């Protein structure tokens, strides 16, 4: 493992230098990797592993998602199967359904987890909250996770561009003595930039906090607040959206990604620098109590309970569409659609 220095704190990570793709192929050369589910993470991970030379099959029920898998080159009867047949054929079962769907399918999956197989997750939810999900793996199988730090869409796009998305990995159960090696090999196989080690509990608590916080929930809340203040003070939709979202996503965040927040500040006007330096701490102080409340809600299991209860309702999809429609039809995101349509082509 490589040692990285994080501001004076050392952390061991796995990179492609000490664990190259050739080694990952060697570790998994006798495995049949069965990706169960072709929704959010399934396509990116399965396609990346297939392109990296691993023996991958997909298990998916017939329907629109099955048809998408066929369009992506998975061949019915050869690399694409009904879920139970894929479970039977697979030696590493990649359980990549949504958390609610995992609960529903678990009794079926459990039947095919014979001694020596591996159970792979990309989220620690099902096992961490086993008292609520009922997902308790048998003792004679390896259980591990690789969690790419981004969507399956981003994982695939970066892979196609020759890049990688960083991932965490964790071992829950090592029945064969090879769980850790297999987990790292899977992480390299799905296209990780580097891998950092965690455990199932820390993965799920950080993930649920991040999704509800700066990655999705908090950022939408901050966008909406600033946009509404600007609009209420007479700024046009175009001006409000550009100053709230477009400049951030198209100009400033790429600079942060390149060299950090201080470098982005250094590459902005002195007026912008002064304002940012004066105001970041008041925003931190205002939002930190909300983040503490959020983390405590995750840690207590309350967020898991809410997710399981609401996402398992028979009318969940209809209610989800109503909530997404509220975002989509808000003035801010309707303005965003117009602004995006006017972006110049970049050749």
């Amino acid at each position: 493992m490589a040692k990285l220095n994080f501001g004076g704190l050392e952390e061991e990570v796995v990179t492609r230098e000490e664990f190259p793709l050739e080694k990952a192929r060697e570790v998994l050369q006798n495995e049949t990797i069965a990706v169960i589910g072709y929704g959010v993470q399934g396509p990116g991970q399965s396609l990346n592993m297939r392109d990296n030379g691993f023996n991958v099959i997909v298990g998916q029920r017939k329907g629109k998602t099955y048809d998408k898998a066929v369009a992506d080159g998975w061949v019915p009867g050869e690399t694409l199967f009904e879920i139970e047949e894929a479970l039977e054929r697979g030696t590493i079962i990649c359980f990549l359904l949504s958390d609610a769907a995992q609960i529903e399918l678990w009794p079926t999956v459990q039947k095919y987890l014979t001694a020596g197989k591996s159970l792979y997750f990309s989220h620690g939810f099902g096992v961490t909250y086993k008292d609520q999900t009922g997902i308790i793996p048998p003792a004679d199988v390896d259980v591990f996770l690789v969690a790419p730090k981004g969507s399956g869409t981003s994982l695939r796009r970066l892979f196609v561009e020759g890049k990688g998305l960083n991932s965490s990995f964790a071992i829950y159960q090592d029945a064969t003595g090879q769980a850790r090696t297999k987990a790292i090999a899977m992480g390299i196989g799905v296209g990780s930039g580097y891998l950092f080690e965690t455990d199932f509990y820390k993965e799920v608590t950080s993930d649920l906090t991040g999704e509800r916080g700066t990655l999705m929930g908090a950022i939408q809340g901050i966008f909406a607040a600033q946009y509404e203040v600007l609009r209420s003070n007479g700024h046009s939709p175009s001006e409000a959206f550009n100053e709230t979202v477009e400049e951030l996503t198209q100009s400033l965040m790429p600079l942060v990604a390149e060299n950090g927040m201080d470098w982005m500040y250094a590459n902005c006007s002195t007026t912008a620098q002064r304002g940012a330096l004066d105001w970041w701490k008041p925003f931190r102080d205002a939002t930190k109590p909300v983040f503490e409340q959020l983390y405590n809600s995750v840690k207590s299991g309350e967020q898991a309970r809410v997710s399981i209860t609401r996402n398992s309702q028979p009318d969940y999809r209809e209610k989800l569409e109503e909530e997404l429609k509220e975002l989509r039809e808000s003035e801010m995101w309707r303005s965003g659609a117009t602004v995006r349509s006017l972006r110049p082509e970049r050749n």
Side-chain angles (χ1 to χ4, degrees):
M1 296 182 77
K3 287 189 177 180
L4 297 184
N5 190 299
F6 292 88
L9 298 174
E10 262 194 0
E11 182 179 335
E12 289 189 335
V13 301
V14 181
T15 72
R16 298 175 188 178
E17 289 187 9
E18 68 267 15
F19 208 110
L21 181 58
E22 293 75 17
K23 182 176 179 179
R25 288 196 195 107
E26 183 181 341
V27 168
L28 302 176
Q29 62 184 335
N30 296 320
E31 304 283 356
T32 298
I33 302 166
V35 173
I36 307 303
Y38 206 72
V40 178
Q41 281 290 335
Q45 293 199 33
S46 60
L47 290 169
N48 290 2
M49 286 190 288
R50 184 183 72 182
D51 290 354
N52 271 334
F54 295 86
N55 180 23
V56 185
I57 62 175
V58 171
Q60 178 62 43
R61 293 192 180 100
K62 295 282 180 67
K64 288 175 64 176
T65 307
Y66 184 96
D67 295 340
K68 180 182 185 302
V70 172
D72 285 344
W74 301 100
V75 181
E78 294 182 18
T79 55
L80 177 61
F81 302 92
E82 291 282 354
I83 287 176
E84 291 209 26
E85 186 170 356
L87 288 168
E88 186 173 13
R89 289 171 176 264
T91 58
I92 297 179
I93 307 302
C94 298
F95 206 15
L96 299 183
L97 295 168
S98 68
D99 296 321
Q102 285 186 13
I103 296 169
E104 181 182 349
L105 192 66
W106 175 246
T108 301
V109 173
Q110 199 170 12
K111 289 190 300 183
Y112 294 95
L113 286 176
T114 52
K117 285 194 175 187
S118 300
L119 180 60
Y120 167 104
F121 294 91
S122 283
H123 191 23
F125 190 100
V127 168
T128 299
Y129 300 115
K130 58 184 180 293
D131 292 344
Q132 299 184 59
T133 66
I135 297 177
I136 303 173
D140 53 3
V141 301
D142 291 338
V143 183
F144 49 84
L145 68 76
V146 173
K149 298 298 104 181
S151 71
T153 301
S154 298
L155 182 71
R156 181 60 178 168
R157 283 178 180 171
L158 288 169
F159 178 87
V160 170
E161 293 170 6
K163 302 174 184 177
L165 194 64
N166 300 329
S167 302
S168 63
F169 76 99
I171 314 305
Y172 182 78
Q173 192 165 277
D174 187 2
T176 67
Q178 297 297 313
R180 194 170 189 278
T181 303
K182 285 189 281 189
I184 294 172
M186 289 288 291
I188 297 297
V190 301
S192 302
Y194 77 84
L195 293 152
F196 59 95
E197 193 163 8
T198 186
D199 59 45
F200 272 58
Y201 173 77
K202 287 179 180 175
E203 190 285 326
V204 74
T205 50
S206 62
D207 190 68
L208 292 182
T209 300
E211 290 168 348
R212 286 149 179 76
T214 59
L215 302 179
M216 295 174 69
I219 197 70
Q220 164 61 19
I222 291 170
F223 282 166
Q226 179 169 304
Y227 181 89
E228 289 169 12
V229 167
L230 290 173
R231 289 288 290 125
S232 68
N233 281 277
H235 298 271
S236 71
S238 186
E239 186 168 53
F241 187 85
N242 273 280
E243 291 295 345
T244 299
V245 179
E246 192 76 351
E247 186 173 352
L248 174 70
T249 59
Q250 299 303 298
S251 174
L252 301 183
M253 279 298 108
L255 297 182
V256 176
E258 192 174 338
N259 278 310
M261 187 68 79
D262 61 321
W263 192 78
M264 185 268 276
Y265 281 10
N267 283 273
C268 292
S269 71
T270 55
T271 302
Q273 289 170 12
R274 184 69 269 141
L277 290 168
D278 287 347
W279 278 92
W280 80 262
K281 289 180 182 177
F283 275 108
R284 177 201 59 190
D285 295 344
T287 59
K288 191 173 180 180
V290 180
F291 279 100
E292 289 171 340
Q293 181 184 357
L294 165 58
Y295 190 81
N296 288 333
S297 181
V298 170
K299 191 166 67 171
S300 71
E302 174 63 13
Q303 288 303 301
R305 185 194 65 76
V306 170
S307 292
I308 292 169
T309 301
R310 296 185 65 178
N311 296 355
S312 300
Q313 298 297 317
D315 61 349
Y316 166 69
R317 289 290 172 189
E318 290 81 0
K319 288 182 176 177
L320 172 65
E321 179 53 32
E322 289 176 12
E323 291 181 282
L324 293 177
K325 183 180 178 183
E326 180 186 357
L327 286 179
R328 186 170 57 248
E329 295 188 355
S330 67
E331 184 189 279
M332 181 173 70
W333 290 113
R334 283 189 285 111
S335 299
T338 302
V339 170
R340 288 192 298 275
S341 73
L342 297 173
R343 287 177 188 164
E345 291 295 328
R346 296 179 183 135
N347 298 317

